[in-house]
Amino acid sequence: MHTTSVTLLARLRQTGDGDAWARFVRTYSPLLYGWARRMALAHDDAVDLVQDVFAVLVQQIPRFDYDGQQRFRGWLWTITRRRWADRKRKASLPIDPGRDPSELPAASADIGFEEAEFRAHLIRHVVPTLRGNFHETTWRSFWKHVVDGRPVTEVAAEEGVTVAAVYKAKLRVTAHLQKELADLMTDSPGDLL
């Protein structure tokens, strides 16, 4: 399963990889929409801005060279901010009075909120796509203990496994998530869950 942005970027550079684009859109649309809403755009205008950003990405990603020293989401923020400024100039979009692109926060200014929101999206929508990589009991033990926050003894009894098996499931799945999602997180991917 290719879920990391580095892997996705490589796949997106190949023409016609519809699965990669679908995964990319599912992963990043909520983040882009959240940024657009924080720019004080109404829902329909926010959706239009997200579509504009994806139109730019379709053109730019084939030429984009990923640099592990820089944040991919920083580049997305720059594109989003520029498209917002262009749309504002061309269409006089309804926004907060006096709000100017130069007054928008830097990509890292609201990082705490953005990261929490992005993590929640990853847990709800991306992490479950990895379920097929594990035995069903391993996945359920991990999910019940880590995501649902249930006590390990309760999960072990319910799944008919040992307490050690629940901890092992947690370690196996978490290690896999760290490998698969590391470049999507600005903090330690171990902090995802």
Side-chain angles (χ1 to χ4, degrees):
M1 178 84 44
H2 302 288
T3 57
T4 62
S5 61
V6 173
T7 305
L8 275 176
L9 289 174
R11 290 178 64 203
L12 294 175
R13 295 176 90 168
Q14 301 168 3
T15 332
D17 192 339
D19 290 339
W21 275 105
R23 183 174 302 280
F24 185 80
V25 169
R26 275 194 315 270
T27 301
Y28 287 100
S29 289
L31 178 68
L32 296 172
Y33 179 79
W35 286 344
R37 294 292 286 170
R38 281 194 284 284
M39 292 172 178
L41 294 178
H43 168 76
D44 290 342
D45 293 322
V47 169
D48 287 345
L49 179 62
V50 170
Q51 290 174 351
D52 283 353
V53 170
F54 280 119
V56 170
L57 292 172
V58 165
Q59 295 173 359
Q60 300 228 352
I61 282 187
R63 297 185 307 268
F64 179 76
D65 289 319
Y66 181 75
D67 177 358
Q69 301 300 314
Q70 297 180 2
R71 292 182 56 225
F72 176 71
R73 279 182 279 152
W75 182 65
L76 286 179
W77 168 251
T78 300
I79 291 171
T80 304
R81 183 176 168 176
R82 287 179 182 160
R83 292 304 302 156
W84 176 80
D86 290 347
R87 288 174 58 87
K88 180 183 172 194
R89 276 192 298 275
K90 290 178 185 174
S92 299
L93 290 176
I95 58 167
D96 286 343
R99 196 128 189 213
D100 184 280
S102 62
E103 296 171 356
L104 286 174
S108 61
D110 199 16
I111 201 71
F113 178 75
E114 173 190 315
E115 282 303 311
E117 191 174 283
F118 196 59
R119 277 190 192 108
H121 168 69
L122 289 175
I123 290 169
R124 280 191 315 272
H125 301 286
V126 178
V127 170
T129 67
L130 302 173
R131 184 178 190 155
N133 295 333
F134 301 96
H135 186 275
E136 191 60 30
T137 303
T138 300
W139 182 262
R140 282 193 316 262
S141 296
F142 157 77
W143 195 268
K144 289 176 182 179
H145 176 57
V146 176
V147 178
D148 295 342
R150 294 176 53 198
V152 69
T153 53
E154 180 181 307
V155 173
E158 189 173 305
E159 291 297 323
V161 298
T162 65
V163 167
V166 175
Y167 283 123
K168 186 176 178 180
K170 174 184 175 182
L171 290 173
R172 285 187 65 222
V173 175
T174 302
H176 188 75
L177 292 176
Q178 288 176 342
K179 178 182 163 207
E180 289 290 323
L181 305 176
D183 62 322
L184 292 176
M185 308 305 294
T186 59
D187 297 328
S188 166
D191 297 333
L192 176 65
L193 301 169

